[in-house]
Amino acid sequence: MKKILFVFGTRPEAIKMAPLIKEFQKYPDKFEVTICVTAQHRQLLDQVLNFFDIKPNYDFNIMKKNQTLFDITTNILDKIHKTLDEVIPDIIFVQGDTTTTFIGALSGYYKKLKVAHIEAGLRSKNKYSPFPEEINRILAGHLSDYHFAPTKNAEKNLLNEGIKKNIFVVGNTVVDALLLGLNNLKEKKEREYIDYFKFIDFSKKIILVTGHRRESFGAPFENICCSLQELANKHKNIEIVYPVHLNPNVREPVMRILKDKSNVHLIEPLDYPYFIWLMNKCYLILTDSGGIQEEAPSLGKPVLVMREVTERIEGINAGTAKLVGTEKEKIIKETSILLTNNEEYKRMSKCTNPYGDGKTSKRIVKLLEHI
Ligand code: UD1
Ligand code: UDP
């Protein structure tokens, strides 16, 4: 019997951990699963926990309004050592590149416990972009004992940094989660979703927008908002739907610049199944999110990535995503091309996903039997 401890705290970690937790829980004779959430996110985390019906054994409830990196780091460190002493896991699982991920790995190392990192090896090679995720994932990688890399490219990044042992290329659990979510959509009637989104005119082209990166706070975020404003003015056949992240640094400029536009819908963060339903219905996606870059190719939706660099280069290479930065002119130009040039739109709408095939969690659990 192996004791597995999952440590996570934000929306994307929860989405990407959920299918793995479910898979481990299928084998109670082999694995004892304990779930510890830092609640670095509160509402956004709870939305996911509810949808996947995951009940944490430990909940640190650390989130504070407009928290700093120092707050998150010290509050998790302060609480986690007691949990590790109580559980004494054989393996701690962390995911991705948040501050919860880094501190989860660090605390495992301090206690000389084994750490497994899923979504290992992503690199932008720019220390400040994404900030602080690039350094979080580098440090989590070096602190971990097992590295579940989503792609060959991620494996190469680890090898280049001298991490040579225990790398397994398994795909990204994000696709497993998406398939679970899509399955759930079939259980609800299409009518329920249409009713939920009744404020949207689906006869128009829907542009789905999200954004939250720390390195974009301030001027870049204002640019993004101004470009959306101009796009809404310029193209009368579009509806922009923007579920706004709860971070106050995001909400302030978004609300100030975009709140009065009739074809821009600023809405609260959506429950995961509603988000993927809308993703499936939209024409294109403008985002700086990591997870959405990985989900969109499964649905054949072009993604314009509003960042200066991305570690998800597989989508760029496959031609399903394009890096457009945070400058107003470029965002407007690239979006307008996709709205008006059918050939270019078709070229980017390929339904092949370089990040996973939906079987990643199964692979990880199989590997764990022999670790
Ligand atoms: C965090 C992660 C980022 C990840 C993102 C996913 C860090 C440093 N950042 O960024 O890597 O891509 O989550 O969304 O690990 N808030 C709420 N309720 C919530 C969530 C957030 O009110 O459920 C507000 C709070 O005021 C909070 C603030 O947003 O203080 C920022 O949250 P935080 O986790 O520090 O940063 P994110 O920008 O969400
Ligand atoms: N998502 C969601 N509701 C929303 C916006 C996003 O459920 O309103 C999901 C999305 O499908 C993806 C994840 O949240 O799986 C991405 O999270 P986020 O953009 O916060 O973080 P990142 O992926 O950039 O770390």
Side-chain angles (χ1 to χ4, degrees):
M1 180 74 117
K2 283 197 179 89
K3 278 195 194 176
I4 313 276
L5 176 68
F6 285 90
V7 177
F8 57 99
T10 66
R11 169 171 68 191
E13 291 165 83
I15 290 171
K16 291 168 173 180
M17 286 294 208
L20 189 58
I21 292 172
K22 298 274 163 205
E23 191 61 28
F24 272 116
Q25 285 175 336
K26 286 183 190 162
Y27 306 99
D29 50 324
K30 291 184 184 156
F31 303 107
E32 185 183 324
V33 173
T34 306
I35 294 159
C36 168
V37 296
T38 62
Q40 173 179 334
H41 282 174
R42 185 71 275 169
Q43 301 90 328
L44 298 184
L45 174 73
D46 291 344
Q47 280 182 313
V48 183
L49 295 177
N50 288 340
F51 172 63
F52 286 102
D53 193 24
I54 291 172
K55 305 214 173 3
N57 305 88
Y58 295 87
D59 186 334
F60 299 161
N61 199 25
I62 64 148
M63 196 196 85
K64 291 202 275 188
K65 194 164 185 229
N66 211 359
Q67 60 205 0
T68 66
L69 298 176
F70 296 90
D71 294 327
I72 311 171
T73 304
T74 53
N75 287 332
I76 300 173
L77 268 181
D78 186 43
K79 296 203 160 58
I80 199 165
H81 61 98
K82 193 160 162 270
T83 303
L84 297 184
D85 284 343
E86 276 177 29
V87 181
I88 319 178
D90 296 305
I91 298 193
I92 302 171
F93 267 84
V94 295
Q95 194 285 332
D97 52 20
T98 70
T99 298
T100 291
T101 314
F102 161 46
I103 301 302
L106 179 67
S107 57
Y109 167 73
Y110 281 169
K111 294 275 183 195
K112 297 197 175 145
L113 296 164
K114 298 284 183 216
V115 178
H117 185 204
I118 66 170
E119 198 181 277
L122 272 61
R123 300 289 184 266
S124 66
K125 312 217 164 68
N126 180 332
K127 164 177 182 181
Y128 289 108
S129 188
F131 171 80
E133 291 83 2
E134 176 73 358
I135 292 296
N136 281 346
R137 59 196 172 210
I138 291 175
L139 296 177
H142 286 270
L143 292 163
S144 295
D145 301 281
Y146 304 106
H147 313 270
F148 293 103
T151 62
K152 288 298 278 179
N153 184 57
E155 178 188 44
K156 201 169 99 207
N157 289 334
L158 293 169
L159 292 171
N160 285 342
E161 285 174 17
I163 297 175
K164 308 272 184 214
K165 270 186 11 198
N166 294 329
I167 305 176
F168 307 97
V169 180
V170 290
N172 197 314
T173 54
V174 73
V175 183
D176 308 16
L178 182 66
L179 297 185
L180 286 177
L182 289 172
N183 222 21
N184 180 272
L185 293 189
K186 288 188 204 138
E187 287 163 25
K188 269 204 180 160
K189 297 215 165 51
E190 181 79 353
R191 191 72 258 153
E192 285 181 50
Y193 289 94
I194 304 255
D195 282 351
Y196 184 88
F197 290 112
K198 57 178 176 292
F199 53 90
I200 301 175
D201 179 353
F202 284 104
S203 67
K204 297 191 174 167
K205 288 179 174 164
I206 310 300
I207 300 185
L208 181 59
V209 181
T210 79
H212 68 81
R213 304 240 78 94
R214 266 182 163 73
E215 68 275 11
S216 297
F217 291 171
F221 238 100
E222 304 235 343
N223 291 342
I224 289 172
C225 294
C226 291
S227 61
L228 296 175
Q229 191 181 40
E230 273 198 44
L231 281 164
N233 286 337
K234 192 170 156 193
H235 299 278
K236 293 297 165 209
N237 63 337
I238 63 167
E239 295 255 308
I240 295 176
V241 185
Y242 186 166
V244 187
H245 195 284
L246 295 179
N247 194 323
N249 299 291
V250 173
R251 289 179 88 83
E252 190 283 318
V254 170
M255 298 300 175
R256 174 167 42 84
I257 299 171
L258 292 168
K259 76 172 176 335
D260 290 327
K261 291 234 58 73
S262 62
N263 53 344
V264 180
H265 305 282
L266 303 178
I267 59 176
E268 292 304 310
L270 290 166
D271 276 357
Y272 184 58
Y274 288 87
F275 188 78
I276 57 181
W277 185 88
L278 193 57
M279 203 159 39
N280 210 12
K281 282 278 176 287
C282 79
Y283 182 77
L284 69 91
I285 301 171
L286 281 169
T287 190
D288 63 13
S289 159
I292 295 169
Q293 288 178 63
E294 294 157 345
E295 291 163 339
S298 282
L299 305 171
K301 302 297 172 180
V303 180
L304 297 180
V305 183
M306 298 186 292
R307 291 168 56 174
E308 303 306 327
V309 287
T310 182
E311 55 292 310
R312 271 95 174 167
I313 54 144
E314 294 83 354
I316 308 278
N317 292 341
T320 58
K322 205 184 251 182
L323 202 57
V324 298
T326 53
E327 291 298 333
K328 201 172 101 180
E329 276 65 38
K330 175 93 169 152
I331 296 173
I332 295 173
K333 182 172 160 233
E334 294 293 344
T335 310
S336 300
I337 290 174
L338 285 181
L339 286 169
T340 53
N341 182 335
N342 247 337
E343 281 311 301
E344 182 60 10
Y345 181 80
K346 272 202 213 126
R347 208 184 53 75
M348 283 189 77
S349 314
K350 280 175 276 186
C351 226
T352 49
N353 196 323
Y355 299 106
D357 60 359
K359 296 185 184 126
T360 299
S361 307
K362 280 196 191 323
R363 284 188 195 104
I364 296 175
V365 171
K366 265 246 127 352
L367 283 162
L368 252 282
E369 285 181 25
H370 307 291
I371 277 172

